[in-house]
Amino acid sequence: MALRRFGSAFLVALSVMTLLFSRQIGSHLTRNSTFFMHWERADGAAVVLTIILVAGVLAAVAELLAALRWTRGLRIYDHLLLLLLASGLLSIIQPLLLHNPEPFNDPLRHTNSVLFQLAWIVVAAIIGFSLGHPGSRLTRYAKNACLCISPVFAILSLQLLTLPSWGPSWEPRPRFREAGRSAQPIFVFVFDGLSYERMTQDGEIRPEFGNLRDLASRSLVFRRAESPASTTLFSMAGIIHQEETGRTFSQDRQEGRHHPTAPWTRAASSPSLFELARHQDYQTALVGYYLPYRKLLGDALDYCVSQPVLRKGDRLIEKMALVCVRNLQYGTDPISPRLYYKLIRPINSRHWYDVNQDVLDETLGVLDQAPSNTLLLSHFPIPHRPYVFKPDGTYFGHADAGYDTLGPSQPEGYERSLLYVDQIVGQLTQRLRDADRFDDATIVITADHGAHFLGVQDTDDRHVPLIIKLPGQGSSHMIDEPMANYRIRPIIERALRGDASPEAVLELVRDAPPGSGIPAAKAPPHRPPDPTRQPTRG
């Protein structure tokens, strides 16, 4: 009898928890969040086990109350469960009424949030009224409905557990083989959201960025360079495959939400920089974040480390805790979303700090170990928000909003991050000098896109820095011809052949006719500020 009663209570609680977590489950099943999460089987298991565990605890509470014969306690329990059921149903209904399913682009988000909070309060009042009237059959009807829909959990769990894997994010560093011939290393450092217009003044790198200025003093500096797109997803595909992949910001955002592999599929018609390097007997390495590069580039990479932009947790128990925290954002009650933002700020801010440090540490590790026949591309998260760094790279504090929330951008926070970018460039170049490899290396400093701040500036978010130091180069060359960081394939090819002297590359850049590859990009157009647009996000 007790076992049967527990089983019934468990199925009811399981259905309630399935509804309560359904928004989170739906985001994994329908919005390609698995791509950006670097989804693995353990992530699906964490969601399923969390629901089972919470349902089991609730069922155990119900069994304990029944064993104690505490009738009033059971009524309170039943009505609290009914409130959770109603909360789950309201969270499912809410996105159906949003003007735009992307909350940070929805002008009615705040209004809908308030309306649903009022609706939740009304529902809670009705449930409270039922609690005060012992003759009410509301909880009985709700239990019967939950028993009828209990198979939904098994269906959704099967879908979660069979989602394709985009991980792992980390792999052991291989033993790099020494070059069989004379070769010169190539290092491409891409900084996320590094704006040319904010790091320069009157066409010159600002004086406070001493390391960047030092590198530029012996490099080709392109003043009119643009990136392939305004978003990271499209830009990184363009930089790696040397193709213009972006269209308009809104088109890229919409396609990226539903088909995140689309720009990579289109760009794959051209061989990647890593494939070119492999054909010249170079070893290839990519250190980055945000995108599952190993799955996207396959065996073109000898070594790959890329972490997701949001914390997943290393152990199962940590994954389950994060599942619970992130589910709070879908609540329609007045408390859950506020509690979510309070909890997620330190989680996301600390994760952002850790990911930046990991990318830097792994990059320095590759610089130390990799031989001369190495092509390394490092994709640094900084200076993209959230702005958690002091200029010296120490932790500034939790961002005003975690990465899940946009919030108003902070130019002063971006400025701190820019100063730390300069420190990173100094660490990279000094490490190469210490290893006596700086002079022989080809070094590229660029960005996937620039920065755009709501109501603050009118900078072009595709106008990016492009600094290229060639082997043996000892002086600076400022180039005003239009250029793009997705049109540097001829320079990389020359570097791979050991024929990238400054004189040869300058001739290539200045004499090539439009459309031949080097100056094919148009000059970055002036884009007036859009007062309705939020800052560029990945």
Side-chain angles (χ1 to χ4, degrees):
M1 180 66 180
L3 184 60
R4 181 179 178 183
R5 187 172 59 208
F6 177 83
S8 177
F10 176 74
L11 288 178
V12 171
L14 193 66
S15 295
V16 171
M17 289 300 106
T18 301
L19 289 176
L20 201 61
F21 283 82
S22 60
R23 284 277 300 279
Q24 186 172 175
I25 295 172
S27 73
H28 299 320
L29 295 179
T30 62
R31 292 188 59 186
N32 286 296
S33 65
T34 54
F35 176 86
F36 298 104
M37 282 184 64
H38 301 199
W39 185 268
E40 298 176 82
R41 296 283 187 265
D43 298 313
V47 177
V48 172
L49 290 175
T50 299
I51 294 174
I52 292 175
L53 179 62
V54 177
V57 170
L58 290 174
V61 170
E63 180 58 29
L64 177 62
L65 295 174
L68 294 174
R69 300 178 184 272
W70 188 16
T71 305
R72 181 167 181 78
L74 275 172
R75 281 187 55 78
I76 294 173
Y77 169 87
D78 288 342
H79 283 80
L80 286 176
L81 205 63
L82 180 59
L83 184 59
L84 291 176
L85 175 65
S87 298
L89 289 172
L90 285 172
S91 72
I92 293 172
I93 295 171
Q94 186 182 29
L96 302 178
L97 301 181
L98 289 175
H99 175 71
N100 187 321
E102 286 202 74
F104 50 84
N105 283 337
D106 182 13
L108 302 180
R109 173 174 168 76
H110 179 69
T111 302
N112 277 326
S113 177
V114 171
L115 289 177
F116 272 87
Q117 287 181 16
L118 291 174
W120 186 91
I121 292 172
V122 170
V123 169
I126 294 172
I127 293 174
F129 179 82
S130 173
L131 177 62
H133 292 75
S136 172
R137 297 182 178 182
L138 192 58
T139 57
R140 183 184 302 176
Y141 296 147
K143 285 183 178 180
N144 290 335
C146 287
L147 289 173
C148 291
I149 66 171
S150 58
V152 172
F153 170 75
I155 296 171
L156 294 178
S157 296
L158 182 62
Q159 290 181 276
L160 278 176
L161 294 173
T162 55
L163 284 172
S165 173
W166 289 100
S169 303
W170 203 280
E171 56 190 57
R173 195 181 303 156
R175 183 183 296 276
F176 293 104
R177 67 185 186 279
E178 291 298 325
R181 61 176 178 82
S182 176
Q184 296 170 323
I186 302 171
F187 305 115
V188 181
F189 302 125
V190 181
F191 291 89
D192 204 313
L194 181 58
S195 168
Y196 175 86
E197 296 173 36
R198 291 190 69 85
M199 64 174 278
T200 61
Q201 186 173 10
D202 299 326
E204 300 288 339
I205 297 175
R206 289 161 47 192
E208 52 266 45
F209 303 135
N211 294 302
L212 281 164
R213 286 172 67 92
D214 177 69
L215 181 63
S217 69
R218 62 199 73 210
S219 302
L220 307 182
V221 180
F222 296 88
R223 288 169 163 160
R224 300 174 64 192
E226 75 168 3
S227 64
S230 299
T231 61
T232 301
L233 174 65
F234 286 77
S235 271
M236 291 308 298
I239 291 171
I240 290 173
H241 285 278
Q242 290 292 285
E243 290 284 340
E244 184 173 18
T245 49
R247 294 165 297 176
T248 66
F249 179 88
S250 59
Q251 286 175 322
D252 291 350
R253 177 68 66 193
Q254 183 69 13
E255 183 175 28
R257 284 184 62 244
H258 297 289
H259 306 287
T261 60
W264 293 85
T265 301
R266 291 198 297 270
S269 58
S270 298
S272 69
L273 296 179
F274 300 109
E275 291 173 287
L276 295 177
R278 293 290 289 272
H279 290 155
Q280 295 292 333
D281 197 32
Y282 268 64
Q283 294 167 101
T284 56
L286 189 154
V287 179
Y289 88 112
Y290 187 54
L291 300 174
Y293 287 113
R294 171 57 77 187
K295 284 286 187 178
L296 293 170
L297 297 167
D299 59 8
L301 294 171
D302 292 306
Y303 175 55
C304 180
V305 169
S306 182
Q307 299 187 65
V309 69
L310 297 179
R311 187 171 184 83
K312 294 201 313 177
D314 298 322
R315 297 171 298 169
L316 182 60
I317 189 66
E318 186 182 2
K319 291 178 182 289
M320 293 172 66
L322 288 169
V323 167
C324 292
V325 170
R326 292 205 168 100
N327 206 64
L328 292 171
Q329 66 185 302
Y330 303 113
T332 54
D333 61 278
I335 298 174
S336 293
R338 291 175 174 81
L339 180 60
Y340 165 73
Y341 292 127
K342 183 177 182 179
L343 294 174
I344 207 66
R345 278 182 57 207
I347 292 173
N348 285 351
S349 296
R350 273 291 176 185
H351 178 68
W352 189 253
Y353 178 86
D354 292 341
V355 169
N356 273 277
Q357 296 307 105
D358 287 343
V359 171
L360 176 58
D361 291 343
E362 276 303 302
T363 297
L364 293 173
V366 173
L367 295 184
D368 287 338
Q369 295 183 12
S372 58
N373 61 327
T374 297
L375 169 65
L376 165 67
L377 186 149
S378 290
H379 177 198
F380 289 91
I382 196 169
H384 200 290
R385 61 175 180 82
Y387 307 119
V388 300
F389 286 94
K390 293 180 181 179
D392 62 358
T394 55
Y395 190 67
F396 177 81
H398 306 332
D400 282 353
Y403 197 93
D404 280 352
T405 60
L406 283 167
S409 289
Q410 306 169 24
E412 64 276 14
Y414 184 81
E415 185 70 16
R416 292 195 312 270
S417 295
L418 280 182
L419 291 167
Y420 183 43
V421 167
D422 185 68
Q423 295 297 311
I424 290 175
V425 171
Q427 291 185 53
L428 297 172
T429 55
Q430 187 59 48
R431 188 64 62 95
L432 290 173
R433 286 189 173 99
D434 292 343
D436 198 25
R437 301 173 67 184
F438 179 82
D439 289 340
D440 291 337
T442 296
I443 301 174
V444 179
I445 301 287
T446 190
D448 57 347
H449 56 74
H452 180 102
F453 297 119
L454 182 63
V456 175
Q457 64 176 51
D458 61 353
T459 57
D460 179 0
D461 54 18
R462 288 183 65 179
H463 191 183
V464 296
L466 180 59
I467 301 171
I468 302 178
K469 188 208 78 69
L470 300 167
Q473 185 168 356
S475 59
S476 176
H477 296 276
M478 299 293 178
I479 300 172
D480 291 321
E481 284 87 349
M483 184 56 171
N485 60 12
Y486 55 89
R487 289 286 185 265
I488 62 172
R489 182 192 301 273
I491 299 176
I492 300 298
E493 288 176 334
R494 279 184 172 270
L496 289 169
R497 296 195 304 265
D499 185 28
S501 67
E503 295 76 20
V505 172
L506 277 172
E507 183 179 354
L508 186 68
V509 170
R510 290 173 172 162
D511 295 344
S516 64
I518 286 290
K522 60 185 179 301
H526 173 73
R527 295 185 178 93
D530 180 354
T532 67
R533 177 175 167 186
Q534 291 284 5
T536 298
R537 178 191 184 197

